[in-house]
Amino acid sequence: MLHRLKYWARTIKRDVHAVYLAADDPRTPWYARALALCVAGYALSPIDLIPDFIPVLGYLDDAIIVPLGILAVVKMIPPEVMAEHRAAAALAGRRPASRTAAVVIACIWAASIALSAWLGYRYLRN
């Protein structure tokens, strides 16, 4: 069981990198590129939309959202293109990191906090 879980985690890591590489490939359709950039950016971002310290929900994005996003992107990309990028990702030693996605997620958090503060102020004022 533990061996299968480790294999699944390695496969997800490889596929995230492969999706990231496929987003740059001109043979990938534009709609698959757009979704691939979103999925890879989110998966490679050092900041999670749902922080891991939140019980149950914290790991939900890592365990469900990312694999479903990868599955959707893989279905949109031609199989030969995906196989090529999976092989390249398996040979790569270092995984990319998405600082842009980290900034976007930080902005979402800041906007959520600002909106909550504003709504709280309006509620308490009345």
Side-chain angles (χ1 to χ4, degrees):
M1 174 77 170
L2 185 61
H3 178 67
R4 284 185 13 186
L5 193 59
K6 285 182 180 181
Y7 175 76
W8 180 75
R10 280 193 299 272
T11 303
I12 291 294
K13 283 183 178 180
R14 183 207 60 206
D15 279 356
V16 165
H17 193 188
V19 163
Y20 175 79
L21 295 173
D24 252 358
D25 195 317
R27 298 173 291 174
T28 303
W30 68 269
Y31 51 88
R33 281 186 193 188
L35 185 59
L37 285 174
C38 291
V39 169
Y42 181 74
L44 297 172
S45 171
I47 301 173
D48 283 342
L49 190 57
I50 304 170
D52 290 341
F53 63 82
I54 297 175
V56 180
L57 293 177
Y59 291 105
L60 191 64
D61 63 337
D62 298 330
I64 294 176
I65 296 172
V66 172
L68 287 178
I70 290 171
L71 182 65
V73 171
V74 167
K75 295 231 182 251
M76 293 181 199
I77 297 174
E80 62 277 356
V81 173
M82 197 61 208
E84 179 183 321
H85 291 300
R86 278 184 175 143
L91 294 175
R94 185 171 169 255
R95 304 281 184 233
S98 178
R99 287 179 179 71
T100 304
V103 169
V104 169
I105 291 172
C107 289
I108 290 171
W109 270 103
S112 298
I113 291 169
L115 179 63
S116 296
W118 179 72
L119 289 173
Y121 173 75
R122 284 194 52 193
Y123 177 76
L124 293 175
R125 194 181 76 177
N126 290 333

